[in-house]
Amino acid sequence: MEIIAAVSAGAGAPLTVRTLTLRAPRPDEVLVRVLACGICHTDLTARAAVPATMPIVLGHEGAGVVEAVGGDVAGVAVGDRVLLTYQSCGACPECAHGLPGYCAQWAVRNAGRFGADSPLSSESGPVVGAFFGQSSFASHVLTTPRNLVVVEPDLDPVRIAAFGCSVQTGAGVVAEVLAPDASSVLAIFGVGAVGLSALLAARALGVGTVVAVDLSPVRLALAAELGADLVLDGGTDDVAARIAALPGGGASHALDTTGAAPVLATALDSLTARGVLALVGLGSSPVPVDVAGLIGRGKTLRGSIEGDVDPKVFLPRLTEWYRRGLLPMDKLVREYPVHRINDAVADMVAGTVIKAVVTFP
Ligand SMILES: [Zn+2]
Ligand SMILES: [Zn+2]
């Protein structure tokens, strides 16, 4: 079938909205008409790494409606509203333990499919598809029951599209990895879509004190509006000293969404003895670690992908929070019709939008 997709071809080139061909679903696949897809920083990272000779359709926060199901598919029906997330095998030990983010085949199943293996093609040759098992910067995608979650039909796809990556990452790392409580101080470094999702989850879970750190006054103002007890400007405030002055003498829990070495150093300095710093942001440079400081104060550095959650379990929890008003996504999301996807990308890069969501007619 012919579909509309935003194609990336080369790091600096604008995305082009083109007509592509999507093959028919195989017995284990589901055809989804995409209504909305969030743009995640991983899309921008992947775009920068893809050569111009290898056109690809990115997008991994799709939300849509099922249009067809293969003969072997159970539990998903035509007309179902679905959220899409990353792909996993379902058979390896980590998948069996409900931690599909650590699937043994994670990399190969999410990097996209190439050449004749791709479900996408164009008049000028193959196009890389099935990025994160979806490639949702497109009007239609082929996906599988593994990486979709059926949601209630009345939920606005524009508002909930980012649940499948950014929101589950931020909310999941707080709920499932750090698990702070009413006596905890949680410091969040970087309050973009992931950091603000962490903040909202912390408020939903009744965490005692939540500190937001960022360089953007606009983001800090939004963090305060969404319930941060203290907002600190990483450029002008003495962040570690301000956090150390809180009751308890520092952060019992911290989250870094930036991957930036100086930010990580400050986050580690902000921890109390036996404090835990979770890392979810991929930085571009190696980070020196103060091993003596970690040992002497019993601190923990903990990496996490996709919040350590099982999307089949956690996305329904997020939609319930959303319904209860605990995830006011309208304050994070800005909608762009697909023909304006380059404006959306530019706004993401400039940091003038928290969560850009592309929509399809
Ligand atoms: Zn697996
Ligand atoms: Zn993502």
Side-chain angles (χ1 to χ4, degrees), residues 239-333:
V239 171
R242 293 286 300 277
I243 294 174
L246 292 170
S252 55
H253 303 79
L255 171 65
D256 175 74
T257 70
T258 73
V263 178
L264 258 69
T266 302
L268 273 176
D269 285 347
S270 304
L271 289 179
T272 56
R274 294 184 294 110
V276 182
L277 168 61
L279 311 176
V280 299
L282 289 171
S284 54
S285 57
V287 175
V289 174
D290 172 13
V291 174
L294 281 185
I295 292 172
R297 303 290 288 160
K299 296 176 182 177
T300 300
L301 265 180
R302 166 70 145 83
S304 172
I305 190 163
E306 300 281 352
D308 277 35
V309 300
D310 181 345
K312 297 275 188 193
V313 176
F314 198 69
L315 293 189
R317 192 173 175 193
L318 290 178
T319 58
E320 189 219 321
W321 281 1
Y322 174 72
R323 210 178 268 292
R324 288 166 53 197
L326 298 171
L327 298 173
M329 296 304 297
D330 51 319
K331 296 196 186 296
L332 276 59
V333 163

Side-chain angles (χ1 to χ4, degrees), residues 110-173:
N110 289 287
R113 291 199 206 139
F114 303 82
D117 196 31
S118 172
L120 294 173
S121 59
S122 74
E123 290 174 354
S124 51
V127 176
V128 181
F131 179 67
F132 275 66
Q134 45 185 295
S135 287
S136 285
F137 291 162
S139 61
H140 297 75
V141 303
L142 287 177
T143 184
T144 73
R146 273 296 299 166
N147 67 316
L148 64 75
V149 175
V150 177
V151 296
E152 298 95 330
D154 62 317
L155 296 171
D156 179 357
V158 175
R159 299 287 182 270
I160 65 171
F163 285 10
C165 186
S166 306
V167 179
Q168 82 178 350
T169 296
V173 75

Side-chain angles (χ1 to χ4, degrees), residues 14-15 39 334-353 356 358:
L15 285 76
I39 300 178
R334 191 182 303 162
E335 184 177 341
Y336 300 77
V338 66
H339 69 269
R340 288 191 56 223
I341 191 168
N342 287 298
D343 294 336
V345 170
D347 290 350
M348 288 284 290
V349 172
T352 55
V353 61
V358 176

